[in-house]
Amino acid sequence: VDLTADVEHDASTEERVVAQATLRSAQQGIDALPDEQREVLAMVAIGGMAYREAAEALSIPIGTVMSRLARARAALAAHMEAQNGITS
């Protein structure tokens, strides 16, 4: 999944630079996820699949989809916080 391709073309130069840096950081965080978490994140959070659809496509229980997605979101949030110098 390449997030950096959708930065708005009419934003100011500064806004584009910040948006591109943020998207690059998010992409790095997604790339660092284990394959199983990245796959579920891509299907549900990015691709818009329902949990049940993702579970059926992957032949896994819906609870497994939910737990993988929760772990992926938590890891991505922690990555973004670390990249931005934010502490919880």
Side-chain angles (χ1 to χ4, degrees):
V1 178
D2 183 8
L3 302 176
T4 58
D6 291 330
V7 174
E8 290 199 31
H9 298 287
D10 61 341
S12 74
T13 301
E14 182 180 352
E15 289 171 331
R16 278 197 307 268
V17 169
V18 170
Q20 288 172 341
T22 301
L23 289 173
R24 244 188 325 275
S25 179
Q27 185 69 58
Q28 291 168 349
I30 291 169
D31 291 345
L33 293 172
D35 290 342
E36 62 189 20
Q37 290 177 18
R38 186 172 48 251
E39 183 175 44
V40 170
L41 183 71
M43 294 173 92
V44 176
I46 299 169
M49 288 181 89
Y51 291 3
R52 185 169 309 284
E53 291 174 313
E56 289 172 1
L58 297 170
S59 299
I60 59 175
I62 194 169
T64 302
V65 168
M66 294 168 66
S67 63
R68 288 180 184 176
L69 185 58
R71 287 193 306 269
R73 286 177 171 159
L76 185 55
H79 172 82
M80 295 301 291
E81 287 176 3
Q83 292 296 309
N84 293 313
I86 300 170
T87 57
S88 306

